[in-house]
Amino acid sequence: MTMIGAPSPPDEYARLLDLAHYEILDTPAEDVFDRIARLAAHLLRTPLACINFIDGSRQWSKAVYGPGPGSAPRHDSFCAWTILGTDPVVIENTRADPRFAQHPAVTGEPHLRMYAGAPLITPTGHCIGTLCVADSGPHALTAADLQDLRDLAALVVDELELRAHHLETGRRPHTQHRRNGEVQRGPDQTWVLDGLTGLMNLELSPEDMTLKAAALLGNALNADYIGLLLFEGEELREEAAYQTPQLAPAMAALPTPLPEWSSSVTRTLKDLHQPLYLDDYPLIPGAMGALVAAGVQQAAWLPLGTRNGVTAMLVAMRLRDNPVMRWRGSDQGLLTAAGRSVRSSLDRQLEAELAHQHARHDALTGILNRRAMYQDLIQRHLNGQPFLLAELDLDGLKALNAQEGRAQGDKLLQVFARTLKVELGREGEVYRTGGDAFVVLADTDEEAVHDAVDVAVLAARQVGALRGASVGTARSSEGVGETLLGLAEERLYAVKCRRLAARQASVAPGLH
């Protein structure tokens, strides 16, 4: 069983922008944060305390007191669960929590048993990280302990605010000097291009990449909107976007997902292969009325390719009162550089998704494997909805392999697995967990699962002499994780024993 990663908060994009505002990631250790971590460990009597920030793909530790895991992928982060709410999260026994039982820091050094984290809540209400403590043994926390943790987390945010103020104060003379130079010489965009190129070396999600690219473009592009749009089938959705306050109300008023407009410019540009820059957006056929009413005057589309049936496009817009009246050559160069950065992130995401899917699927049958079963079982327990777990074992496959060869047995497994998956449809999922062993996780009743298994057995018998399939079932209300699996396995074994006894009884007269 592997650890399951936390979902993203609903305000993820705004949260990441708020985190970026503090410019805290990948900075050296600072005494003030180290002192807060030490104080947290002292007040709550734990050997470990950390100040962690959660960005798009990782947990990054600003301060660590004691032998802790520190920075880690976001998927493996305790704190990624803590930022989903505004109250402290306390895990009294990590070994009994299906989210963390298989975490490397629980199963190995430092063998964490207790975890408690308080979210770092910014003045705008976003949770950008945590102040957390942990212990390798049982450790009860009092209400006073949790209040101390909250107070220290608030102190971390106060220090972040003070730090951001000092950074901005020190930056102002340089910023004014640069603006004065721009009046005389025009915008110097070299640093922007360097920054966009540097983004390609970062392991960022497409959403994070778009937001960071938009932040880098800033005043150099003078855009009122920069967004990543995805076409999937006939649906169009906005995946991430930067927009000025003047344009935000009009964008918020658009329906989500955007419907299909057979004659709209959005629809006609789905298959665009070259960038398109328009200075008179309201005049083109299919211009969206809501955007025209909002004052959109200029629009640019940069195609980013199609991956797994999803087409990506970077879009930029300017309002009619924008001081820049047309798309300049320098603007096109900046947008092209931004497009390269986002495209590289989309390519990495596709590679990661393919690797993830490959790791979850059985190579022979194409259905999900044991690893996927454990992950999905944990998720179903966390969802809290009742479900049925069925363990299956094919009867007679070993004899078929011996008589007709393993290739024929493999073909039978493929037919059985795919037929069972089709019969269950959306009511359940099928997993191959061993040679002739399968598991079904279903939202339907036991009778429906048996009916689907019977159809799959009939289909498999077209390939070879399969006696049948033994099935043992258990309800989610009867246990969790391995306990539930063990219960279904016991019932499966009882079914196999009854079938074996029946077969032996049927052939017994012939032995006399």
Side-chain angles (χ1 to χ4, degrees):
M1 190 179 296
T2 58
M3 179 177 171
I4 184 169
S8 296
D11 63 344
E12 179 69 357
Y13 301 139
R15 190 191 71 80
L16 290 172
L17 284 175
D18 211 6
L19 174 59
H21 159 74
Y22 291 104
E23 301 182 29
I24 192 70
L25 296 178
D26 300 311
T27 57
E30 297 178 49
D31 288 342
V32 63
F33 297 110
D34 290 340
R35 283 196 293 271
I36 294 174
R38 286 198 302 271
L39 184 58
H42 174 73
L43 289 176
L44 278 79
R45 308 168 305 283
T46 60
L48 171 65
C50 300
I51 297 173
N52 293 326
F53 295 94
I54 307 298
D55 73 3
S57 60
R58 59 176 173 156
Q59 167 188 293
W60 181 77
S61 299
K62 176 64 177 177
V64 177
Y65 175 82
S71 299
R74 182 167 175 171
H75 180 275
D76 297 334
S77 169
F78 284 73
C79 297
W81 289 94
T82 303
I83 65 167
L84 297 180
T86 56
D87 294 324
V89 170
V90 179
I91 309 299
E92 295 181 350
N93 186 356
T94 56
R95 301 171 192 169
D97 192 307
R99 296 172 296 176
F100 310 118
Q102 297 302 315
H103 191 284
V106 174
T107 59
E109 292 294 338
H111 297 287
L112 298 183
R113 180 77 172 273
M114 183 279 289
Y115 164 90
L120 304 178
I121 306 171
T122 69
T124 57
H126 299 117
C127 301
I128 60 173
T130 73
L131 171 64
C132 65
V133 296
D135 202 337
S136 57
H139 190 131
L141 295 179
T142 66
D145 290 332
L146 294 181
Q147 187 57 54
D148 287 341
L149 198 61
R150 287 191 190 94
D151 291 342
L152 290 173
L155 184 59
V156 173
V157 176
D158 290 343
E159 290 296 337
L160 287 172
E161 286 287 306
L162 182 61
R163 184 180 182 278
H165 175 73
H166 289 328
L167 287 174
E168 181 61 24
T169 301
R171 188 181 290 134
R172 282 174 187 165
H174 172 72
T175 301
Q176 186 60 48
H177 176 74
R178 181 168 62 81
R179 287 177 178 170
N180 292 338
E182 288 175 352
V183 172
Q184 299 174 9
R185 301 185 304 273
D188 179 6
Q189 298 170 332
T190 303
W191 68 276
V192 181
L193 289 170
D194 288 343
L196 291 170
T197 301
L199 285 179
M200 296 178 65
N201 298 322
L202 302 179
E203 296 290 334
L204 299 174
S205 70
E207 297 86 353
D208 294 343
M209 186 69 79
T210 300
L211 294 173
K212 288 185 181 295
L216 273 175
L217 289 171
N219 292 333
L221 189 62
N222 238 56
D224 294 295
Y225 174 91
I226 300 174
L228 174 62
L229 302 186
L230 299 181
F231 297 83
E232 188 166 8
E234 297 303 326
E235 284 190 353
L236 168 64
R237 68 178 184 271
E238 181 187 77
E239 194 71 2
Y242 155 84
Q243 55 203 27
T244 59
Q246 296 91 330
L247 187 59
M251 298 302 292
L254 293 176
T256 303
L258 297 176
E260 176 190 2
W261 291 289
S262 59
S263 59
S264 71
V265 64
T266 301
R267 180 71 180 86
T268 59
L269 293 180
K270 177 181 178 181
D271 299 321
L272 186 70
H273 295 293
Q274 297 294 329
L276 176 62
Y277 298 88
L278 296 179
D279 295 331
D280 295 304
Y281 175 79
L283 300 182
I284 64 171
M288 292 171 55
L291 295 183
V292 174
V296 172
Q297 179 65 31
Q298 303 169 57
W301 294 264
L302 279 80
L304 302 178
T306 300
R307 300 159 186 82
N308 271 359
V310 179
T311 299
M313 184 175 291
L314 193 66
V315 177
M317 299 178 188
R318 290 183 181 137
L319 298 176
R320 68 171 65 98
D321 59 356
N322 195 294
V324 182
M325 303 302 296
R326 62 182 179 83
W327 294 112
R328 303 161 297 189
S330 58
D331 297 332
Q332 297 180 26
L334 287 173
L335 282 171
T336 299
R340 280 198 300 268
S341 298
V342 178
R343 185 183 292 110
S344 70
S345 183
L346 288 165
D347 290 338
R348 281 197 298 268
Q349 184 185 61
L350 176 62
E351 292 173 2
E353 288 174 352
L354 291 175
H356 177 69
Q357 290 300 316
H358 179 74
R360 282 174 52 88
H361 282 77
D362 175 56
L364 174 63
T365 62
I367 65 170
L368 296 171
N369 59 17
R370 177 185 292 272
R371 177 180 182 178
M373 184 270 293
Y374 278 121
Q375 293 172 341
D376 294 353
L377 181 58
I378 290 173
Q379 188 61 61
R380 281 179 174 266
H381 282 307
L382 291 174
N383 290 344
Q385 297 298 319
F387 63 91
L388 179 75
L389 184 149
E391 291 211 19
L392 288 64
D393 194 87
L394 301 187
D395 300 327
L397 181 64
K398 292 180 181 178
L400 175 66
N401 285 335
Q403 296 171 6
E404 302 186 34
R406 186 168 294 277
Q408 194 68 9
D410 288 348
K411 185 176 179 180
L412 184 146
L413 284 169
Q414 292 169 344
V415 171
F416 177 86
R418 293 169 187 171
T419 303
L420 182 56
K421 181 174 175 59
V422 169
E423 286 299 309
L424 286 171
R426 296 183 178 181
E427 296 297 322
E429 193 56 83
V430 185
Y431 308 82
R432 185 184 179 212
T433 56
D436 58 358
F438 296 83
V439 164
V440 169
L441 297 178
D443 299 317
T444 186
D445 56 28
E446 187 173 343
E447 183 178 355
V449 171
H450 280 286
D451 289 344
V453 171
D454 289 342
V455 173
V457 168
L458 289 175
R461 283 174 177 166
Q462 306 306 309
V463 178
L466 183 67
R467 286 199 299 269
S470 299
V471 182
T473 62
R475 284 284 175 186
S476 55
S477 57
E478 297 180 281
V480 176
E482 293 289 355
T483 300
L484 191 65
L485 287 165
L487 188 58
E489 187 174 0
E490 289 176 7
R491 293 169 181 172
L492 169 65
Y493 182 73
V495 170
K496 292 184 74 70
C497 288
R498 289 197 299 270
R499 288 191 168 190
L500 178 60
R503 285 199 301 271
Q504 291 175 341
S506 66
V507 301
L511 299 177
H512 296 288

